[in-house]
């Protein structure tokens, strides 16, 4: 950052851009309140780049009493490529606003003392705020010292602790999945659900029934079988529901792993997917959904979006702007169409 033998300063950028030093400061600090035209902003950034000027982060930190660092406590998600997109979304959103993300991975089975120690390790490094992320949507008791700085929960909610959070719209995602089957012409749709008492189990069941009821069907009477949320559980639940007296022509599965088990059950019964049975999953675990034959139509969990949204809102809070309310922000679960859905065979929707 030199101009000849001296360091380039903000006044050099102002002179090169033909604007005031105040304007340069507002542009390079992304001051939202400054009324500066896009053309002027572009001119200032171009001049700064040509001169090799970059803001002095240490000086900024001393003036603002902020470090420019966000912490992320990750309950196991750093070891999972699927949910690890939370970290990617948070990191890219933080970088776009001039912040650095520092990640600590902790175990979801660790005791409260261990989790508080992880938060304390970030606090000792003067982080401006903390994201607390879990591997799957659940209710947590956040570490008590998390309230010492602005904090947001990611893929989790906390009862009675006043933290803002962002989670998938479980019921909305289930409605999307069932509507895919309804639009294909299915009127008898079964649901393979999870047995664990977690928000996704209840939310997806609610969305499943709501979608059917909204279509004029009896959501409360639709066939539902629950089992462990893995391939074996999906196989067992699908086997029971497909061997019933009035088997459905389509299945909505709690997740893609259960859908994989449903494929096996269908094959054992001589049912072809999607000619005889349509299947929709949930999660969009690509190693499963894209590798099944035929490819599994599903809905995606918004891991990247949750991380990005949380980082943006956390920075707003750090910078004194209005932050999110202490209630869950629901992010949509978009559909991912593949080849596991077709219209029912003639008469199959009522068989």
């Amino acid at each position: 950052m030199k101009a000849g033998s001296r360091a380039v300063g903000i006044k050099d950028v102002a002179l090169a851009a033909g604007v005031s030093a105040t304007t340069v400061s507002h542009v390079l600090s992304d001051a939202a309140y400054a009324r500066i035209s896009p053309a002027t902003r572009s001119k200032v950034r171009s001049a700064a780049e040509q001169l090799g000027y970059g803001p002095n982060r240490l000086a900024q930190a001393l003036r603002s009493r902020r470090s420019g660092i966000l912490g992320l406590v990750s309950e196991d998600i750093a070891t999972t490529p699927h949910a690890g997109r939370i970290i990617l979304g948070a990191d890219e959103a933080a970088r776009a606003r001039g912040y650095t993300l520092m990640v600590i991975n902790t175990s979801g089975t660790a005791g409260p003392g261990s989790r508080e120690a992880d938060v304390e390790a970030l606090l000792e490094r003067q982080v401006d705020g903390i994201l607390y992320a879990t591997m799957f949507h659940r209710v947590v008791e956040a570490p008590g010292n998390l309230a010492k700085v602005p904090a947001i929960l990611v893929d989790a909610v906390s009862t009675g602790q006043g933290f803002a959070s962002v989670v998938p719209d479980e019921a909305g995602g289930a409605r999307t999945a069932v509507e895919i089957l309804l639009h294909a012409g299915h009127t008898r749709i079964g649901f393979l659900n999870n047995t664990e008492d977690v928000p996704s189990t209840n939310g997806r069941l609610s969305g499943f029934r709501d979608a059917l009821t909204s279509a004029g069907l009896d959501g409360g009477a639709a066939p539902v079988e629950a089992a462990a949320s893995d391939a074996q559980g999906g196989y067992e639940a699908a086997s029971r529901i497909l061997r019933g007296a009035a088997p459905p022509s389509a299945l909505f599965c709690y997740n893609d792993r259960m859908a994989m088990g449903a494929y096996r059950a269908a094959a054992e019964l001589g049912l072809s997917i999607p000619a005889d049975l349509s299947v929709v999953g949930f999660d969009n675990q690509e190693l499963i959904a894209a590798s099944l034959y035929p490819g599994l139509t599903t809905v995606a969990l918004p891991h990247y979006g949750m991380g990005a949204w949380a980082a943006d809102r956390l920075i707003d809070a750090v910078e004194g702007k209005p932050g999110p309310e202490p209630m869950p922000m629901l992010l949509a679960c978009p559909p991912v169409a593949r080849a596991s859905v077709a219209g029912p065979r003639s008469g199959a929707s009522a068989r």
Side-chain angles (χ1 to χ4, degrees):
M1 198 166 68
K2 299 279 186 182
S5 60
R6 66 179 181 84
V8 173
I10 199 168
K11 291 183 179 179
D12 297 303
V13 178
L15 182 63
V19 299
S20 69
T22 299
T23 297
V24 172
S25 177
H26 286 167
V27 170
L28 297 184
S29 64
D30 289 318
Y33 55 82
R35 296 182 179 178
I36 302 172
S37 71
T40 299
R41 290 180 184 273
S42 177
K43 186 162 57 174
V44 168
R45 291 193 176 100
S46 177
E49 183 177 353
Q50 289 174 7
L51 292 173
Y53 174 78
N56 186 321
R57 294 297 183 195
L58 178 59
Q60 283 184 343
L62 291 172
R63 287 195 300 270
S64 66
R65 296 185 179 181
R66 295 197 297 264
S67 66
I69 300 172
L70 304 180
L72 190 152
V73 176
S74 142
E75 281 200 9
D76 298 319
I77 69 171
T79 60
T80 59
H82 183 51
R85 288 184 59 79
I86 288 175
I87 297 175
L88 180 63
D91 181 63
E92 292 189 348
R95 287 174 183 268
R97 295 182 63 174
Y99 285 73
T100 299
L101 189 70
M102 180 181 294
V103 179
I104 288 184
N105 192 57
T106 190
S107 171
T109 59
S114 176
R115 293 194 292 273
E116 287 209 2
D118 290 331
V119 170
E120 194 61 36
L122 291 172
L123 295 174
E124 289 172 355
R125 286 158 178 79
Q126 305 297 311
V127 297
D128 296 323
I130 295 177
L131 303 175
Y132 193 94
T134 60
M135 188 171 65
F136 62 90
H137 181 185
R138 60 192 183 87
V139 179
V140 299
E141 183 175 348
N145 54 352
L146 192 63
K148 291 183 177 180
V149 292
I152 295 178
L153 306 183
V154 186
D155 209 10
V157 295
S158 177
T159 56
Q161 293 179 280
F163 291 109
S165 62
V166 57
V167 297
D169 184 355
E170 306 284 5
R175 286 193 295 270
T176 295
V178 176
E179 285 165 1
I180 291 170
L181 297 169
L182 290 168
H183 291 160
H186 295 276
T187 57
R188 182 161 177 77
I189 302 169
F191 179 33
L192 310 187
N193 201 10
N194 181 23
T195 53
E196 293 182 73
D197 185 15
V198 291
S200 51
T201 300
N202 303 317
R204 294 176 196 183
L205 177 59
S206 173
F208 166 74
R209 288 178 169 157
D210 286 349
L212 294 176
T213 300
S214 296
L217 302 171
D218 188 348
V224 176
E225 287 287 345
S229 60
D230 54 22
Q232 180 63 27
Y235 167 75
E236 293 169 0
S239 296
R240 292 195 298 268
I241 209 169
L242 293 174
R243 293 178 188 274
S249 64
L251 292 176
F252 164 48
C253 303
Y254 170 81
N255 63 17
D256 298 342
R257 290 179 297 166
M258 292 192 81
M260 181 165 58
Y263 272 49
R264 175 186 162 198
E268 286 188 1
L269 292 169
L271 300 175
S272 174
I273 298 173
D276 301 313
L277 179 72
S278 289
V279 181
V280 174
F282 204 117
D283 289 357
N284 192 35
Q285 294 189 21
E286 292 192 20
L287 287 176
I288 296 173
S291 300
L292 287 172
Y293 183 79
L296 177 65
T297 293
T298 186
V299 292
L301 284 169
H303 286 116
Y304 181 93
M306 289 192 293
W309 183 92
D312 265 328
R313 300 292 79 74
L314 184 63
I315 292 170
D316 285 346
V318 166
E319 295 181 350
K321 302 169 188 173
E325 295 294 324
M327 61 180 62
M329 172 66 183
L330 303 180
L331 290 197
C333 301
V336 181
R338 294 192 178 90
S340 62
V341 176
R345 288 190 185 276
S346 178
S349 62
R351 58 189 174 116

